[in-house]
Amino acid sequence: MKQKFKVGILDDDSSKITQIITMLLYGMLGASPEKKARYKDYELIPYEIKLQEDIQDIISEVFEQKLDCILIDYKLSSYAITDFTGVEIAKILGEEIYDFPIFILTSYEDDLFTKEIYNAYQVFDFDRYLTEPAERIELNCKIIEQILKSTKQREQWEKEIVKLLPLSGKSEEIDSRILELDNKLERSISGKYSISKKIKKDLNTNKLNELIDRIDDILGED
């Protein structure tokens, strides 16, 4: 059975959303035999995200739908009236969820790189994605790779924190690492509920035990 990854699509143009959905469903169609074999166990499931006036409402939908990745149109004002760009949403989402896979689709690459500061690795030309199979395959591969990378990182943190929990209180270094891991796990699982690192550092040993109980609850939800 294939592992399914839920990919959110945020765009103000419904026709473009339909086109992106089609490209995601094509998956590795036309890819080399090696790539088809490598990604045969994964399937991308498109999900349309409603464009809303408040960015936090959009962020909330990403959490509620438990999306694995999101594709965002750079210019969200072709048909809808918004006062923010896709990059602004991407940056806020990146602050909410640690290492969350985000990609920007744009037909205005020069404008994007002139006005914005963003990782070129995460930016793809929309027209090429639709018309060039190699570009479509590359982005679909990156989506899968970034989701797998994010999942693997979280699993490593979970293993480490489970190993350290019985040693809590043994040293300041161990307690500090537990707090650090907790911060990363919260931001990767449900970042909008995370407690700031500063507050956690102020916790005394007794309160650390309460924190450990809460960490156990978080890990038990997976």
Side-chain angles (χ1 to χ4, degrees):
M1 182 179 293
K2 289 188 176 183
Q3 187 173 355
K4 300 180 186 297
F5 295 136
K6 196 172 181 181
V7 181
I9 305 168
L10 183 63
D11 200 309
D12 67 318
D13 186 338
S14 59
S15 64
K16 287 172 67 176
I17 291 174
T18 300
Q19 291 172 308
I20 295 170
I21 288 174
T22 301
M23 295 301 106
L24 289 172
L25 293 177
Y26 277 166
M28 296 298 117
L29 181 67
S32 66
E34 292 78 15
K35 282 192 174 180
K36 284 184 178 179
R38 181 175 182 178
Y39 299 103
K40 64 181 176 60
D41 295 326
Y42 308 106
E43 182 179 356
L44 301 177
I45 307 299
Y47 174 83
E48 180 181 348
I49 300 172
K50 182 180 178 181
L51 181 60
Q52 304 184 61
E53 293 183 4
D54 190 332
I55 291 181
Q56 284 303 322
D57 289 336
I58 298 173
I59 302 299
S60 294
E61 186 170 2
V62 173
F63 279 111
E64 291 166 4
Q65 293 300 322
K66 298 181 179 179
L67 300 179
D68 296 298
C69 175
I70 184 172
L71 302 180
I72 306 176
D73 177 43
Y74 169 54
K75 287 203 170 181
L76 294 169
S77 56
S78 299
Y79 295 95
I81 299 175
T82 59
D83 57 359
F84 49 81
T85 67
V87 169
E88 290 177 79
I89 294 177
K91 288 179 178 178
I92 293 174
L93 186 58
E95 293 172 357
E96 295 277 352
I97 311 178
Y98 191 88
D99 203 28
F100 185 71
I102 304 170
F103 294 93
I104 303 292
L105 290 175
T106 179
S107 299
Y108 309 89
E109 286 191 79
D110 292 339
D111 192 30
L112 189 157
F113 289 117
T114 298
K115 296 182 178 181
E116 309 278 6
I117 300 175
Y118 204 68
N119 186 353
Y121 175 87
Q122 296 171 266
V123 178
F124 278 76
D125 184 278
F126 173 73
D127 296 320
R128 290 184 62 196
Y129 182 58
L130 296 184
T131 60
E132 300 179 19
E135 190 78 355
R136 183 249 306 161
I137 292 167
E138 181 182 358
L139 176 52
N140 288 355
C141 287
K142 283 187 176 180
I143 290 172
I144 294 172
E145 291 290 350
Q146 288 302 300
I147 293 173
L148 291 174
K149 172 180 172 291
S150 178
T151 302
K152 183 178 180 180
Q153 179 64 84
R154 190 180 71 189
E155 289 173 350
Q156 290 177 345
W157 288 333
E158 289 175 350
K159 288 179 181 178
E160 184 179 357
I161 201 169
V162 167
K163 183 179 178 180
L164 290 177
L165 285 176
L167 304 176
S168 63
K170 297 290 184 180
S171 71
E172 184 177 339
E173 182 180 357
I174 291 175
D175 289 353
S176 177
R177 181 57 179 167
I178 290 174
L179 294 174
E180 180 183 357
L181 289 168
D182 172 70
N183 181 62
K184 289 181 177 179
L185 280 169
E186 283 190 312
R187 286 187 60 201
S188 65
I189 297 172
S190 54
K192 69 177 182 178
Y193 301 113
S194 66
I195 299 173
S196 73
K197 198 169 183 178
K198 181 181 182 301
I199 293 177
K200 289 178 183 176
K201 282 188 175 180
D202 291 337
L203 291 172
N204 58 32
T205 303
N206 290 331
K207 289 189 177 181
L208 181 59
N209 290 328
E210 297 175 13
L211 175 61
I212 291 171
D213 290 337
R214 188 166 52 78
I215 294 172
D216 287 335
D217 290 338
I218 292 173
L219 295 179
E221 292 174 0
D222 252 11

